[in-house]
Amino acid sequence: MKIGIYGYGNLGRGIESAAKQNSDVELIAVFTRRDPETVKTITGVPVYSAGDILDFKDKIDVLIICGGSATDLPEMTPALAANFNVVDSFDTHAKIPEHFTNVDNAAKSAGKIALISAGWDPGMFSLNRLYASAILPEGSDYTFWGKGISQGHSDAIRRIDGVLDARQYTVPIESALDAVRSGSNPELTTREKHLRECYVVAKEGADLARIEKEIKTMPNYFADYDTTVNFISLEELKRDHSELPHGGFVIRTGKTGFNKEHNHTIEYSLKLDSNPEFTGSAIVAFARAINRMHSRGDTGCKTVFDIAPADLSVLSGEELRKKML
Amino acid sequence: MKIGIYGYGNLGRGIESAAKQNSDVELIAVFTRRDPETVKTITGVPVYSAGDILDFKDKIDVLIICGGSATDLPEMTPALAANFNVVDSFDTHAKIPEHFTNVDNAAKSAGKIALISAGWDPGMFSLNRLYASAILPEGSDYTFWGKGISQGHSDAIRRIDGVLDARQYTVPIESALDAVRSGSNPELTTREKHLRECYVVAKEGADLARIEKEIKTMPNYFADYDTTVNFISLEELKRDHSELPHGGFVIRTGKTGFNKEHNHTIEYSLKLDSNPEFTGSAIVAFARAINRMHSRGDTGCKTVFDIAPADLSVLSGEELRKKML
C-alpha cells in the first residue's frame, strides 16, 4: 500500500514512524503548505508542495490528512476525497455528523473511500464505547483522559500575558476511577473526574500571582477543575516536559440477570508515551482497512464503526483465526 | 429479530436473560435433547424437542447453539447451519480452523450465515488481541484469566475418588500483571501467571491428604501451578461458591518511534459476576450483526473479526456517529 501524508507536524511524523514499522506500507510523499525546501522529513521521504497533490492522483492508495479539526479538515477532507482515498482524525465531536455528510458526498461522487475521525479518541475509545454498550444495554459509560498533555490547554496558558511557555497535564482522579469500577454508578462532576496540572515558564519580572489567577479562573479550560500551577525554568520545561504522553480509560458498568442481580465491568485503557506516534500507528492500520475495502468496491465515508477488524491486520483471515481467535 | 436457543443449560439461560434486555430481540423457542416436558424456562418461553427443530425453519432468524465444544458443536453447528443462520461459542482454540471450514461449507451451500466462537474468549478478548497487534506491530501480547470459576478444572476435581463437589478459581497473579503493564516484556512461566484455588467438599471419611495430593499433582490441570486446596462443607460451598464469576485481562505492550524510544500499553479487562450471562449478552449482540449481514446477502462462516462493530448496536449509523464516536 502506497500512502502519502498531507501536513507534516507531530501527527505527520507519527505516521512516518508508523509506516516504517509496517512492511506492507510504503510512504511515498509528504505534502506541505509551507515551502517544501524548508521541510525535511526524518526518514528522507520527499516533500512536495500541497499545490502539487493532483500529480499524485494515481500514485497514492491512501492519503492521510494531518490538519487541525477547527478550520483545516472541514475544508481539506471533502476536497481531497474528490481525488484520493483519505483518512483524517477529525475530533470536533459535535460537528462529526456534518463533516461525515460533506465527506460522504465528495467521496461517493468520485468513487473514493474516506475514513474520518480515526485515532484513539475518536477512534479506539469510540469502538470500546460501542462494543461495551452493545453487550451491556443496561449500564453507564465513563471516559477519563490522561495522564497526558493537552495541547489545547497548553496553548491557552501560552496566550496569557507574561507566559513564555507552558505544558498542561490532564490527570484522571484515581478515587473517581475506583468509584466507577466498583459498579456504584456514580454521578461525577467535571471537578471530580479530572485534575489539571500546569507547568509554566514566566517571562522575567512577570506577576506570577496574576498569571496563576488567570489560569485558575479561565472559563471552560480551568475554572471548573482543581488546577495546580507550577512555575519552572525553561530548562526544566525542556528537560522534564518535552514529550507528548497521553492515555485514558473507557469503562462501562452494567447489569444482567432476570432480576438484574449481576454486575459487570468492561474497561479499556491506554498508557501512551507518545500521543502522535500512537495515533499515527492506529491511523496506518485503519488506512490498510479502507484500502482493502476500496479494492472490494466500497466507496463513501466510513468511521471506525464500519471497519471489520480483520481488515486492520496484515495477517490473512486464516492466520488470524489460527493465532488470535 | 426472532431467535431460538438450542440447548438449555447455563449459557442458554444467559441468552434468555439477555434477550429480555434487548427490545429488538424476541426469543421464540428453546430446543432441548431432553424430554421437553421436564424443562421449564425462566421466562416461560416454550420448550420443544431438538428433533422438531426443522418445523421452525422459517420462524427463526438466528439460532443460538449452546452445546459443548468437545463433542456437541463440531457436529451440531455444521448440521444446523444447513437450515438456519447460527451462532456458537466454540472454544477449542486448536480446532477452530477445522470447525470454520466445516461450518463455512454447510452455511454457504444453504445460503445461510454462521458465526463461530462468539463470547469473550474467544470473542471480545480475540478482538482486543487483533486491534492491539494491528496498531502496535512491534510488541507482545499477554492474556490473563480470572479471578473466576473454571468449569473444566472444577469437573476434574469432582472426578477424584472421595470428592462430593468442588469449585476451582483461576486467579491471575498481580505481580505478573504489574510486570507486564510496566512494558518490561517479561517471559512468564505458567506458574508465574496464574494461581489455582480449590474449594472441595469431601465425602465422609475420605482421605483428605490423598485428595489434596491428587489435585496438586494432576497433570495439565494443576501440576504446573501453585495450587491451594481448601476443604469446606457442602453448606459453605452452596453459600459462598454458587455463582459463576469470571473475567480477565488482555494486555499488549509495544514500541514506536524512529529509535523505538516510546512505550505504549493497551489493556482490556473484564470483571464479570456471571460468566454465562455476560457471554449470552455478547452472543445476542453478535446474533443481531449476522442477522443484518444475512439480510444484506452475506453467507458462509464468520468470526468476530469479520463483523463491522456498527452491526452489533441497536442504534443506527447516524445515532452512533452522534453519540459514541
Side-chain angles (χ1 to χ4, degrees):
Chain A
M1 171 174 66
K2 293 180 166 61
I3 66 167
I5 293 172
Y6 193 90
Y8 192 66
N10 284 328
L11 180 57
R13 280 187 292 275
I15 287 160
E16 183 184 11
S17 171
K20 266 188 69 181
Q21 291 188 287
N22 287 276
S23 55
D24 62 330
V25 175
E26 189 188 352
L27 172 60
I28 65 155
V30 164
F31 301 90
T32 180
R33 288 178 292 183
R34 292 174 273 167
D35 174 358
E37 296 294 324
T38 66
V39 177
K40 252 191 97 60
T41 58
I42 292 171
T43 57
V45 173
V47 180
Y48 301 91
S49 168
D52 295 334
I53 186 78
L54 289 182
D55 297 346
F56 289 80
K57 197 165 152 51
D58 301 315
K59 295 174 186 153
I60 286 172
D61 295 315
V62 181
L63 182 65
I64 297 168
I65 311 175
C66 304
S69 294
T71 55
D72 294 341
L73 297 177
E75 300 292 324
M76 281 179 185
T77 310
L80 291 164
N83 288 291
F84 295 91
N85 296 324
V86 297
V87 183
D88 78 17
S89 54
F90 185 77
D91 66 358
T92 311
H93 290 259
K95 292 192 175 168
I96 284 174
E98 183 188 338
H99 188 54
F100 181 90
T101 302
N102 294 340
V103 176
D104 195 45
N105 290 338
K108 273 201 182 124
S109 309
K112 298 293 181 187
I113 195 166
L115 176 70
I116 61 163
S117 305
W120 61 272
D121 196 5
M124 292 310 300
F125 273 19
S126 322
L127 280 171
N128 276 281
R129 288 186 283 263
L130 192 166
Y131 277 116
S133 67
I135 295 175
L136 295 176
E138 297 182 49
S140 303
D141 273 326
Y142 297 85
T143 301
F144 290 83
W145 295 273
K147 181 179 179 175
I149 295 269
S150 163
Q151 301 276 22
H153 289 79
S154 301
D155 288 344
I157 300 172
R158 285 188 205 105
R159 285 192 294 265
I160 293 174
D161 190 42
V163 171
L164 200 64
D165 205 346
R167 296 288 184 283
Q168 193 271 176
Y169 293 88
T170 306
V171 185
I173 296 176
E174 201 61 43
S175 59
L177 276 166
D178 288 341
V180 167
R181 287 178 184 130
S182 76
S184 71
N185 219 353
E187 288 211 21
L188 297 165
T189 63
T190 298
R191 191 178 300 275
E192 287 168 331
K193 288 183 73 185
H194 296 95
L195 296 172
R196 300 207 174 273
E197 272 178 25
C198 311
Y199 295 86
V200 181
V201 183
K203 289 179 185 160
E204 223 184 290
D207 179 349
L208 303 188
R210 176 191 50 81
I211 291 173
E212 179 163 345
K213 194 178 166 200
E214 279 195 44
I215 294 171
K216 289 186 170 177
T217 57
M218 197 185 295
N220 303 320
Y221 285 89
F222 294 100
D224 298 334
Y225 298 85
D226 288 335
T227 301
T228 57
V229 177
N230 306 281
F231 289 99
I232 60 173
S233 69
L234 193 56
E235 291 68 40
E236 287 171 316
L237 188 89
K238 283 184 175 158
R239 187 190 65 205
D240 302 332
H241 305 284
S242 62
E243 296 280 343
L244 293 167
H246 221 311
F249 304 80
V250 174
I251 303 173
R252 186 172 179 90
T253 59
K255 289 178 183 300
T256 67
F258 295 99
N259 300 301
K260 316 266 183 272
E261 66 274 34
H262 292 128
N263 291 305
H264 306 277
T265 305
I266 304 173
E267 177 167 343
Y268 180 78
S269 68
L270 296 174
K271 193 162 167 286
L272 313 175
D273 274 2
S274 166
N275 184 358
E277 287 177 7
F278 186 84
T279 304
S281 297
I283 285 176
V284 165
F286 281 106
R288 175 185 292 125
I290 64 155
N291 187 44
R292 289 183 181 165
M293 292 165 78
H294 189 251
S295 71
R296 295 195 300 259
D298 210 339
T299 64
C301 190
K302 309 292 170 185
T303 75
V304 294
F305 298 155
D306 306 307
I307 311 288
D311 277 330
L312 298 169
S313 175
V314 72
L315 300 179
S316 69
E318 205 174 341
E319 288 170 308
L320 287 174
R321 288 190 292 274
K322 203 170 165 181
K323 293 179 185 168
M324 293 206 185
L325 196 61
Chain B
M1 173 174 65
K2 292 182 167 58
I3 66 167
I5 293 172
Y6 192 89
Y8 192 68
N10 283 327
L11 179 56
R13 281 186 291 273
I15 288 160
E16 183 184 11
S17 171
K20 264 188 69 178
Q21 290 187 287
N22 286 276
S23 55
D24 61 332
V25 174
E26 188 188 352
L27 172 60
I28 65 155
V30 164
F31 300 89
T32 180
R33 289 178 291 182
R34 293 174 272 168
D35 175 358
E37 296 294 323
T38 66
V39 176
K40 252 191 96 64
T41 58
I42 292 171
T43 57
V45 173
V47 181
Y48 301 91
S49 168
D52 295 335
I53 186 78
L54 289 182
D55 297 346
F56 289 80
K57 199 168 152 48
D58 302 315
K59 293 174 188 156
I60 287 173
D61 296 313
V62 181
L63 182 65
I64 297 169
I65 311 175
C66 303
S69 293
T71 55
D72 294 341
L73 297 176
E75 300 292 324
M76 281 179 185
T77 310
L80 291 164
N83 288 291
F84 295 90
N85 297 324
V86 297
V87 183
D88 79 18
S89 54
F90 186 76
D91 67 358
T92 310
H93 290 261
K95 294 191 174 167
I96 284 174
E98 184 189 337
H99 188 54
F100 181 89
T101 303
N102 294 340
V103 175
D104 195 44
N105 290 337
K108 273 201 182 124
S109 309
K112 297 294 181 186
I113 195 166
L115 175 70
I116 61 163
S117 304
W120 61 273
D121 196 4
M124 292 310 299
F125 273 20
S126 323
L127 281 170
N128 276 280
R129 288 187 283 262
L130 191 166
Y131 277 117
S133 66
I135 295 175
L136 295 175
E138 297 182 49
S140 303
D141 274 326
Y142 297 85
T143 301
F144 291 83
W145 295 273
K147 182 178 178 175
I149 295 270
S150 162
Q151 301 275 23
H153 288 80
S154 301
D155 289 343
I157 300 172
R158 285 188 205 105
R159 285 191 294 265
I160 292 173
D161 191 44
V163 171
L164 200 65
D165 204 347
R167 297 287 184 283
Q168 193 271 177
Y169 293 87
T170 305
V171 185
I173 296 176
E174 202 61 45
S175 59
L177 276 166
D178 288 342
V180 166
R181 288 178 183 130
S182 77
S184 71
N185 218 350
E187 288 211 21
L188 297 165
T189 62
T190 297
R191 192 178 301 275
E192 286 167 334
K193 288 182 73 185
H194 296 94
L195 296 173
R196 299 207 174 276
E197 273 179 22
C198 312
Y199 294 87
V200 181
V201 183
K203 289 179 186 159
E204 221 182 293
D207 178 348
L208 303 189
R210 176 192 51 81
I211 291 173
E212 179 162 347
K213 195 180 164 199
E214 278 195 46
I215 294 172
K216 289 186 171 177
T217 58
M218 197 186 294
N220 303 318
Y221 285 89
F222 294 100
D224 299 333
Y225 298 85
D226 287 336
T227 300
T228 56
V229 176
N230 306 281
F231 289 98
I232 59 175
S233 69
L234 193 58
E235 291 66 41
E236 287 170 317
L237 189 90
K238 284 185 175 156
R239 186 190 67 204
D240 303 333
H241 306 284
S242 63
E243 295 280 341
L244 293 168
H246 220 312
F249 304 81
V250 174
I251 303 174
R252 186 172 178 89
T253 58
K255 290 178 182 299
T256 66
F258 296 100
N259 301 302
K260 316 268 182 271
E261 66 274 34
H262 292 128
N263 291 305
H264 306 276
T265 304
I266 305 173
E267 178 167 342
Y268 180 78
S269 68
L270 296 174
K271 195 164 167 283
L272 314 175
D273 275 1
S274 166
N275 184 358
E277 286 176 7
F278 186 84
T279 303
S281 297
I283 286 176
V284 165
F286 281 105
R288 174 185 292 126
I290 64 156
N291 186 45
R292 288 182 182 167
M293 291 165 77
H294 189 253
S295 71
R296 295 194 300 259
D298 210 339
T299 64
C301 190
K302 310 291 171 189
T303 74
V304 293
F305 298 155
D306 306 307
I307 310 288
D311 277 330
L312 298 169
S313 175
V314 73
L315 300 178
S316 70
E318 204 174 342
E319 288 171 307
L320 287 175
R321 288 190 293 274
K322 202 169 166 180
K323 293 179 184 168
M324 292 206 186
L325 196 59

